[in-house]
Amino acid sequence: MAADVRYYDIRCVRGEVTLVDIDNGVIESAGTSFFDKAVIRVLGPKGWGFLTRDHVDIDSKREVDALVAAAARLAAVTADEIDLADAPRGVLSVPPLAEDPRDVDLEEKTRLLAGIEEAARVDGVANTRARYTEGIDAVRYLDSNGNEYSYEAVRSGFSVLAIASRNGVMQMGSERDHITTGFNLRGKQDLGRKAGEVAVSLLDAKLPKGGPRRAVLDPELAGVFTHEAVGHASEGDLVREGASVLGGKIGEAIGCPGLVIVDDPTLHEFGFMPVDAEGVAVERTEIIRDGILRSYIHNRETLAAVGNGVAGHARAEHGAPPIVRMSNTFIENGDAAYDEIISECRDGILLIGSRGGQVDPGRGVFQFNAEYGYLIEGGEMTDMVRDVSLSGEILSTLHNIALIGNDRKMSPGYCGKGGQSVPVSDGAPHLLLEHATIGGRGE
């Protein structure tokens, strides 16, 4: 290795992506594409040099040496002061596949997806759309320290959307399911039907009054809050840049007693990683334990710069350099039963699902839109409501958690950051919030 090269690594991903899109019963697209991409990183006297190439022969020393030399020339002109923390190595086993999606032909995949989309067309639904996504990644990695690994990851999933319309009013219902353990289109018509029924029910839902009140968050919305408001704020690059409300708060009580928030790449959920994109062993990381901020999540570079945490949280899209990312992020179970949470809420609102929103981890504020909800009156659920949102400050909301349920559920999805999208999951049990700020348009 040249004297001006402190470190290098190469990550090659070869694979295929299968997509099927069905819009109102019409097959818009169905096909498979193939890719073979590599990213070469070289750490020079100061900063990084990056190269992206197609069809790299990682077993050819001559080709690897030439790529490292080319990336080193780029690194030589950077002025960033970068160090890398030491980190453990190791690769986990990939979960076995119950059914390999490669054993199912495209025609059958399309037929099964069409059945889910058709099930969403209940009376009152005007438009439907379904999408199937399948990814096969064969990953190989090597670095200048002699570390090498390889593994194959298989991900399969679908989403279904239904839009109901009446007298110029439109409402939407949606469901999705993505897994790492095989093919998952069989027997899923009930999710299509649920999407359609929710859309139609929302046509008759009330518009809630906005203002402060008690709120119960379902596992999906509570998981979105955990991912967006807490997970991103705990990422070491944002902390290093001064763009996180959690910066400098290690050891402080930032949430209610009993609150545990975790990022765990080892779980066989949609964000599972057998090893991170820097070749670092992955492990469960407790961000918050008993309401106290314990750790940030890091790659090797941010761990060296910031400290207070572990590496193993570097992730990368095909052909892109690794950055600090979440994997499976969630609130651990408490001991409250669902019925107890609804009863204890007394007069408030139950918020269900998520339609996105926005968060500013630097200022520590957020706003999320629920898919729908129910009023809670006298400790019992009553009327369905729509067009409802939750907003507030991250830290005060963490302190205002009054009860933590015992029914954690994980939801799969994709997270975008730095122009890259990677598979993740997030989750929580039901939560009871005091002093929640609810947005609504009712009188």
Side-chain angles (χ1 to χ4, degrees):
M1 188 164 62
D4 58 348
V5 173
R6 290 190 283 158
Y7 168 85
Y8 71 80
D9 60 28
I10 301 178
R11 184 173 185 268
C12 300
V13 187
R14 177 181 299 167
E16 58 190 77
V17 175
T18 298
L19 299 174
V20 182
D21 265 308
I22 301 177
D23 188 4
N24 290 319
V26 177
I27 301 169
E28 296 285 338
S29 62
T32 300
S33 58
F34 299 88
F35 62 89
D36 185 355
K37 295 181 178 294
V39 174
I40 302 92
R41 302 192 306 167
V42 169
L43 186 59
K46 291 190 175 181
W48 288 108
F50 297 100
L51 282 179
T52 300
R53 291 289 187 270
D54 294 332
H55 309 294
V56 169
D57 182 1
I58 199 171
D59 295 313
S60 167
K61 184 177 185 303
R62 179 178 179 181
E63 184 169 353
V64 168
D65 287 347
L67 291 170
V68 169
R73 289 192 289 272
L74 298 175
V77 300
T78 62
D80 297 329
E81 295 288 347
I82 291 174
D83 290 306
L84 301 180
D86 291 333
R89 303 290 172 156
V91 184
L92 300 177
S93 298
V94 174
L97 301 176
E99 180 180 12
D100 193 326
R102 288 167 291 191
D103 295 335
V104 183
D105 63 34
L106 186 61
E107 183 179 354
E108 184 174 4
K109 290 169 182 172
T110 304
R111 179 181 61 81
L112 290 168
L113 183 67
I116 297 170
E117 188 261 352
E118 183 179 9
R121 279 184 257 142
V122 301
D123 288 344
V125 167
N127 299 92
T128 53
R129 185 163 196 131
R131 180 180 177 90
Y132 172 73
T133 307
E134 170 190 309
I136 315 293
D137 294 350
V139 181
R140 292 193 62 190
Y141 169 95
L142 63 81
D143 66 27
S144 54
N145 296 326
N147 299 299
E148 295 188 36
Y149 70 77
S150 63
Y151 69 89
E152 183 178 76
V154 177
R155 287 183 165 88
S156 168
F158 71 92
S159 61
V160 57
L161 170 70
I163 298 176
S165 178
R166 185 198 302 149
N167 299 327
V169 176
M170 292 190 299
Q171 290 295 318
M172 180 180 73
S174 64
E175 294 292 329
R176 67 186 187 276
D177 188 25
H178 299 269
I179 61 174
T180 61
T181 52
F183 185 61
N184 74 329
L185 280 180
R186 303 191 191 280
K188 301 292 184 174
Q189 291 92 337
D190 58 327
L191 290 181
R193 191 175 305 110
K194 181 181 178 184
E197 290 172 349
V198 166
V200 172
S201 296
L202 284 171
L203 293 173
D204 296 316
K206 294 183 175 181
L207 298 173
K209 292 173 62 176
R213 65 173 74 182
R214 292 189 185 92
V216 177
L217 309 188
D218 86 322
E220 182 176 349
L221 185 59
V224 169
F225 166 77
T226 304
H227 174 103
E228 297 288 353
V230 179
H232 278 301
S234 71
E235 291 171 334
D237 50 352
L238 295 186
V239 175
R240 177 183 60 184
E241 294 159 11
S244 169
V245 70
L246 301 184
K249 297 189 182 300
I250 292 291
E252 293 186 18
I254 64 166
C256 69
L259 177 66
V260 179
I261 295 182
V262 176
D263 188 85
D264 191 349
T266 72
L267 294 182
H268 292 172
E269 299 287 346
F270 200 52
F272 168 72
M273 296 189 297
V275 62
D276 91 339
E278 294 184 311
V280 174
V282 296
E283 62 181 272
R284 170 188 166 100
T285 302
E286 291 189 349
I287 299 168
I288 297 174
R289 158 62 65 177
D290 198 23
I292 297 172
L293 183 63
R294 298 293 190 188
S295 180
Y296 303 123
I297 61 175
H298 289 296
N299 61 13
R300 294 179 64 194
E301 179 182 331
T302 63
L303 178 58
V306 175
N308 296 308
V310 295
H313 297 275
R315 305 189 67 186
E317 201 175 60
H318 310 140
I323 56 178
V324 183
R325 306 297 299 270
M326 285 172 279
S327 56
N328 304 305
T329 313
F330 57 91
I331 296 177
E332 279 281 29
N333 275 334
D335 55 10
Y338 171 73
D339 290 344
E340 176 189 357
I341 290 175
I342 297 297
S343 175
E344 191 65 26
C345 182
R346 296 189 293 279
D347 294 298
I349 191 168
L350 168 64
L351 302 179
I352 296 176
S354 171
R355 287 187 177 168
Q358 52 193 353
V359 62
D360 184 335
R363 293 173 54 220
V365 295
F366 66 89
Q367 188 271 328
F368 300 126
N369 301 311
E371 188 173 5
Y372 59 98
Y374 290 92
L375 298 179
I376 299 174
E377 299 172 310
E380 295 185 356
M381 286 196 305
T382 58
D383 296 323
M384 189 181 200
V385 293
R386 69 188 193 212
D387 300 337
V388 60
S389 65
L390 171 73
S391 60
E393 297 178 344
I394 296 171
L395 298 181
S396 61
T397 301
L398 293 173
H399 282 292
N400 287 339
I401 298 174
L403 286 176
I404 302 173
N406 58 8
D407 56 355
R408 190 190 88 200
K409 179 181 177 183
M410 302 295 288
S411 298
Y414 287 86
C415 173
K417 176 183 174 183
Q420 300 187 43
S421 179
V422 297
V424 298
S425 70
D426 51 58
H430 280 85
L431 303 178
L432 173 60
L433 296 184
E434 301 278 4
H435 314 298
T437 301
I438 302 301
R441 297 187 296 181
E443 296 299 328

